[in-house]
Amino acid sequence: LCHRNKMSQIRAILEERGWDWRSIALGGAASLGGGLLGVYAFRKLRQKRRARGAPLPYPLPFHPIFQNIPLLAERVEKRKEHVDAVLMDLMASQKHLGKLFRLRVLTMDLVVVCDADAAKEITQQKNYPKSPTYDTLHPFIGAKSMVCSEGKVWSKQRKAFAPGFQFAFLKDLVPTFASKTQLLIDRFARAADTGEVLSFHTEAVLLTVDVICQVALSVNFGYLTSKEPPEIFYLFNELLTNTAELARAPHTAWMRFLPWVYMRSRNIQKRFDSILIRVIQHRLTETQQEDPLATGPRDILGLAIKTARDAKAEEGGGALDLEDVLAQVKTFLFAGHDTTASTAAFTVYEISRNPEVEAKVLEEVDRVCGGKPPSSDDLTRGGLKYLGCVIKESLRLWPPGGTARIAPPGATLQGYDIGGRPIYLPHFPIHRDPDYWGPDAAEFKPERWLDEAYLAKLHPCCYMPFSKGARDCIGQTFAIMEVKTLLAMLYSNYTFKYACAEPEGQAYRITSYPKNRVPVTVHSRSRQK
């Protein structure tokens, strides 16, 4: 209503001065459109002059105006299919694409790389910078997140937070993983009694958020014990959903600058940030002493503050500021729960579909753990070796995400011109490619990870659920240890039956998650024995 009143006032003023507001509006739109086309044409001309390789193929049909949008919109937007699965189908049905091709979506000219050799060149040999497409995540993880930063800034951030993700620190977190998992076991007891169908993924999200808040900030928000999740949970989900809606459709990313969209997102972001800032400011004030870990809690935030201060004292480097710390905490809250919960859910789904695998998991868990929570040695020194193979195989078939980089001007890749273009490396097609994994690439087969001769022949970049190279995921050891603890304790008490007629698939928000959320019925093992 307010917007309409403003527009009416503007029209009245224009009419008083004898101006035709319709002509002005059309002229403005034409000027804007012409300007955008001019910028696009200039960029394409500059790119063409700098091109050094052959042009990449692109999928058909190709619309002269909308380019590849109709091809993707039908399946990704309407059917809600995962874009990686669509890319796999395109490569299978359009052989001219090979494993390197381009997608053209208005002003974005995206290079899709599904080749392991090319992936190695991009992520390890040349280590191209992160793509500007990550900028759409700024409202959610912050502009200073190490996911987006580069150069010395990224190096300082990685150095500050790396101690919190090394085994020396993580082994002391196993009791926290176990105590939080016990709360989930207690929640499942009622479902086992009543036969209720639970969304395993939803329950796993509550657990993993509770864990990362505890180990990163030493704060218990009570996700698993409260009747209603705390305010931060709703704000977190709303901010994630809003960000994901724009990130999944790059051609509409400009909409985030519309005043009403921006103000709504900004309001949610401020409320979410204010909760975390209170915690961080308290810790920064509390740890003014020489050693922040001397009296304060031993968590990831405390280690980061200590590492940054030690670096400043030794090298004269700058300490992490509040905005910097906030961005990393938000990144860990997202990455530390989302991918872990999805990995646990997909693993339970695959175990429920494979009775032979389930039997081996149960035997190993009983033999190693004996009804108790696993120790750090159980998790890392081969005690739960087969369970580790099951998790690896789940990550192979259901990787949580891909990697996006940007090629410098004039760059080529296997003879093709990729200069100045964003690059997308979807892990899903590479992880399921028979050229790398053999004819059983689409099968869930944990035993492949026990075959040393088979593993020795694998390409180093045909398996990269946590990416590769210097920019690999800082939290990958954390994630594997948490998932192992969760599954070992759950399968000591329960088995799970998939309770949906439709097979599970991948859906996409910012990372991948189970499309059906893995609905299961819970069955107590004590009653089965």
Side-chain angles (χ1 to χ4, degrees):
L1 184 59
C2 179
H3 175 68
R4 289 179 180 176
N5 289 337
K6 289 288 185 183
M7 291 300 297
S8 298
Q9 291 174 11
I10 293 172
R11 291 176 185 176
I13 292 171
L14 292 175
E15 288 172 357
E16 284 178 6
R17 298 184 179 183
W19 295 344
D20 185 354
W21 65 269
R22 293 181 181 83
S23 299
I24 293 174
L26 288 172
S31 299
L32 178 61
L36 290 173
L37 286 173
V39 170
Y40 175 70
F42 172 75
R43 287 180 176 176
K44 295 302 293 181
L45 179 62
R46 184 175 62 179
Q47 195 174 61
K48 186 174 182 180
R49 287 178 175 176
R50 291 179 176 177
R52 294 182 179 177
L56 282 162
Y58 49 82
L60 301 173
F62 183 82
H63 194 279
I65 298 176
F66 299 110
Q67 302 170 347
N68 289 131
I69 291 178
L71 184 67
L72 299 174
E74 174 64 28
R75 296 183 61 177
V76 176
E77 292 299 323
K78 290 185 179 180
R79 301 186 200 172
K80 303 300 179 184
E81 293 184 56
H82 196 290
V83 66
D84 289 3
V86 176
L87 296 177
M88 274 191 68
D89 288 350
L90 286 175
M91 288 189 294
S93 61
Q94 302 191 29
K95 299 298 184 182
H96 71 283
L97 295 178
K99 296 180 183 180
L100 299 177
F101 57 97
R102 60 200 285 204
L103 285 175
R104 296 178 64 182
V105 181
L106 298 181
T107 59
M108 188 177 73
D109 198 351
L110 182 69
V111 177
V112 179
V113 175
C114 300
D115 179 84
D117 285 326
K120 183 177 180 180
E121 181 176 340
I122 292 164
T123 60
Q124 295 178 262
Q125 295 171 347
K126 296 183 178 177
N127 190 20
Y128 287 147
K130 289 297 186 78
S131 169
T133 52
Y134 283 109
D135 292 351
T136 57
L137 304 183
H138 285 177
F140 185 59
I141 59 176
K144 289 191 173 184
S145 169
M146 69 172 68
V147 170
C148 313
S149 57
E150 295 290 342
K152 291 182 178 179
V153 174
W154 171 81
S155 181
K156 183 185 79 168
Q157 293 169 340
R158 181 92 176 198
K159 183 177 180 180
F161 285 92
F165 293 95
Q166 293 172 353
F167 179 72
F169 175 73
L170 293 177
K171 63 183 178 64
D172 295 331
L173 299 183
V174 176
T176 301
F177 296 159
S179 63
K180 294 292 186 182
T181 301
Q182 185 59 51
L183 296 176
L184 189 63
I185 289 172
D186 295 342
R187 287 171 65 95
F188 282 170
R190 186 172 66 87
D193 290 337
T194 62
E196 172 189 359
V197 175
L198 287 181
S199 165
F200 188 93
H201 181 254
T202 302
E203 296 294 318
V205 165
L206 293 175
L207 169 72
T208 53
V209 173
D210 224 15
V211 167
I212 194 63
C213 287
Q214 186 70 51
V215 302
L217 302 171
S218 294
V219 174
N220 182 12
F221 285 111
Y223 288 89
L224 288 167
T225 53
S226 303
K227 290 183 179 180
E228 289 292 330
E231 180 189 18
I232 189 173
F233 182 78
Y234 294 109
L235 294 173
F236 186 81
N237 270 314
E238 194 166 1
L239 191 59
L240 174 59
T241 301
N242 290 347
T243 304
E245 286 176 354
L246 296 174
R248 65 180 284 119
H251 58 287
T252 64
W254 60 271
M255 292 179 64
R256 70 183 188 272
F257 298 113
L258 295 174
W260 52 93
V261 175
Y262 174 81
M263 291 304 295
R264 181 174 180 272
S265 177
R266 184 63 178 160
N267 179 52
I268 299 169
Q269 183 182 341
K270 281 184 176 180
R271 291 166 60 196
F272 178 64
D273 288 356
S274 66
I275 297 173
L276 297 178
I277 286 172
R278 285 197 297 270
V279 176
I280 295 168
Q281 282 182 327
H282 176 70
R283 293 291 300 283
L284 290 173
T285 304
E286 191 180 57
T287 56
Q288 291 299 321
Q289 69 269 15
E290 189 172 330
D291 184 0
L293 300 179
T295 57
R298 184 175 174 80
D299 56 21
I300 294 171
L301 178 57
L303 282 172
I305 294 171
K306 182 181 185 301
T307 304
R309 288 181 179 171
D310 289 348
K312 184 178 182 181
E314 294 175 11
E315 306 168 11
L320 295 170
D321 58 27
L322 177 61
E323 185 182 356
D324 207 338
V325 174
L326 176 63
Q328 309 326 316
V329 168
K330 289 166 69 175
T331 301
F332 298 147
L333 286 182
F334 166 63
H337 94 277
D338 189 75
T339 55
T340 310
S342 295
T343 298
F346 275 124
T347 305
V348 167
Y349 167 69
E350 290 292 355
I351 292 174
S352 72
R353 297 171 67 236
N354 294 273
E356 301 86 357
V357 172
E358 182 183 70
K360 292 180 181 180
V361 168
L362 297 180
E363 185 279 326
E364 182 178 75
V365 165
D366 290 345
R367 173 170 44 83
V368 174
C369 299
K372 299 178 181 179
S375 67
S376 58
D377 286 345
D378 294 334
L379 298 176
T380 58
R381 296 188 178 179
L384 293 169
K385 186 174 183 178
Y386 187 74
L387 180 59
C389 294
V390 171
I391 295 169
K392 280 185 178 180
E393 185 71 348
S394 176
L395 281 167
R396 183 184 72 84
L397 289 178
W398 308 104
T403 302
R405 302 294 179 98
I406 183 75
T412 60
L413 184 64
Q414 297 184 357
Y416 288 108
D417 170 42
I418 62 168
R421 295 185 176 95
I423 304 168
Y424 178 49
L425 289 84
H427 300 164
F428 188 89
I430 298 175
H431 284 194
R432 292 174 176 242
D433 192 332
D435 290 346
Y436 305 124
W437 298 94
D440 61 353
E443 297 177 21
F444 184 78
K445 187 179 177 183
E447 287 73 18
R448 74 175 76 242
W449 297 99
L450 298 171
D451 186 341
E452 296 296 334
Y454 174 83
L455 296 178
K457 297 177 183 178
L458 289 178
H459 192 287
C461 279
C462 72
Y463 179 75
M464 46 182 182
F466 299 103
S467 192
K468 290 281 188 178
R471 298 301 297 264
D472 64 352
C473 175
I474 192 174
Q476 55 186 293
T477 304
F478 175 98
I480 295 298
M481 289 179 69
E482 184 181 0
V483 172
K484 265 191 179 181
T485 304
L486 167 62
L487 295 179
M489 291 183 66
L490 286 180
Y491 279 101
S492 290
N493 293 273
Y494 304 112
T495 57
F496 303 91
K497 302 300 180 185
Y498 186 63
C500 182
E502 179 187 357
E504 196 55 87
Q506 275 191 321
Y508 170 75
R509 206 154 53 166
I510 291 177
T511 56
S512 301
Y513 65 93
K515 185 178 181 181
N516 302 318
R517 305 283 185 175
V518 189
V520 295
T521 53
V522 184
H523 304 269
S524 173
R525 290 190 64 200
S526 62
R527 294 177 186 173
Q528 296 172 6
K529 291 178 180 178

